[in-house]
Amino acid sequence: MLSIDLDEEAKQYVDKILEKKKVDVSELVKQLLKEHADSLPEKAKTEEQVDILPNGKTVIERMGGMPDYFASIGGLSSREARKAAIAEHIQARHSARHESS
């Protein structure tokens, strides 16, 4: 059993709703709590859903997909490994452009 103290304004709202819905206080509270709970967004998100934007695409999809050079490299779960792979790729592109000039 739950007991709460309501101020006068809240009591007036409860009385008005009870009069219109023709239910007891316990049933009214259940209905209101269920309606509120049903209106809340799903809390649990999978790891893939975290990066989904309002338009339904992930950041990677908006940027054109996963870069090909990442697909052939494994072990990129740590930030340092990704930074090293990106730095190596940029350095290789830079060297290739300046060697051909």
Side-chain angles (χ1 to χ4, degrees):
M1 170 152 208
L2 176 67
S3 177
I4 58 170
D5 292 322
L6 300 175
D7 62 17
E8 283 304 313
E9 182 182 6
K11 286 179 186 176
Q12 289 174 0
Y13 292 141
V14 170
D15 291 341
K16 186 176 181 180
I17 295 170
L18 289 172
E19 187 179 311
K20 287 189 178 193
K21 289 206 172 205
K22 306 283 190 230
V23 295
D24 66 351
V25 174
S26 181
E27 187 61 32
L28 174 63
V29 171
K30 282 184 204 175
Q31 288 176 7
L32 293 173
L33 290 173
K34 183 180 181 330
E35 288 172 15
H36 183 69
D38 290 345
S39 71
L40 295 173
E42 293 292 324
K43 187 175 182 175
K45 291 185 176 184
T46 63
E47 196 171 309
E48 294 89 29
Q49 291 175 324
V50 171
D51 290 335
I52 293 180
L53 300 174
N55 63 2
K57 291 185 175 184
T58 64
V59 173
I60 295 293
E61 288 170 337
R62 288 189 65 206
M63 293 173 60
M66 184 67 75
D68 293 336
Y69 60 90
F70 273 163
S72 62
I73 303 171
L76 295 176
S77 59
S78 76
R79 183 177 182 157
E80 293 303 317
R82 288 191 303 274
K83 284 173 69 174
I86 292 169
E88 184 179 316
H89 178 75
I90 291 171
Q91 185 64 39
R93 281 181 48 194
H94 179 74
S95 297
R97 286 183 182 166
H98 290 294
E99 286 175 8
S100 48
S101 297

